[in-house]
Amino acid sequence: AGTSVEEAGLGDVDGCDSLNLDVWVTENGIPVKMVVSVAGESEGSDINIHLEFNITDLNDDSITIDRPI
């Protein structure tokens, strides 16, 4: 069961009929998974969008991020 656009506070998003957002967090409140589903209509065609983000290897010492130039 999704959330209506109005319930999500996104009533001005044209063509969006439903929106569902699920977030999984650890016992310390750290997000490790997020799933977003959106359904609606655009220019006469049905649209369905499903995005899933999975966070793994959190704080793994082998992960390095070089500073951009």
Side-chain angles (χ1 to χ4, degrees), residues 15-65:
C16 183
D17 296 328
S18 68
L19 168 67
N20 192 50
L21 170 65
D22 294 309
V23 179
W24 285 255
V25 296
T26 66
E27 59 188 32
N28 295 326
I30 298 170
V32 292
K33 182 176 181 177
M34 182 174 72
V35 177
V36 180
S37 297
V38 180
E41 186 178 310
S42 177
E43 298 181 11
S45 298
D46 290 337
I47 58 168
N48 289 296
I49 300 171
H50 180 86
L51 299 172
E52 184 171 328
F53 300 93
N54 294 287
I55 300 169
T56 60
D57 303 322
L58 193 61
N59 294 326
D60 186 327
D61 290 336
S62 68
I63 298 172
T64 59
I65 300 174

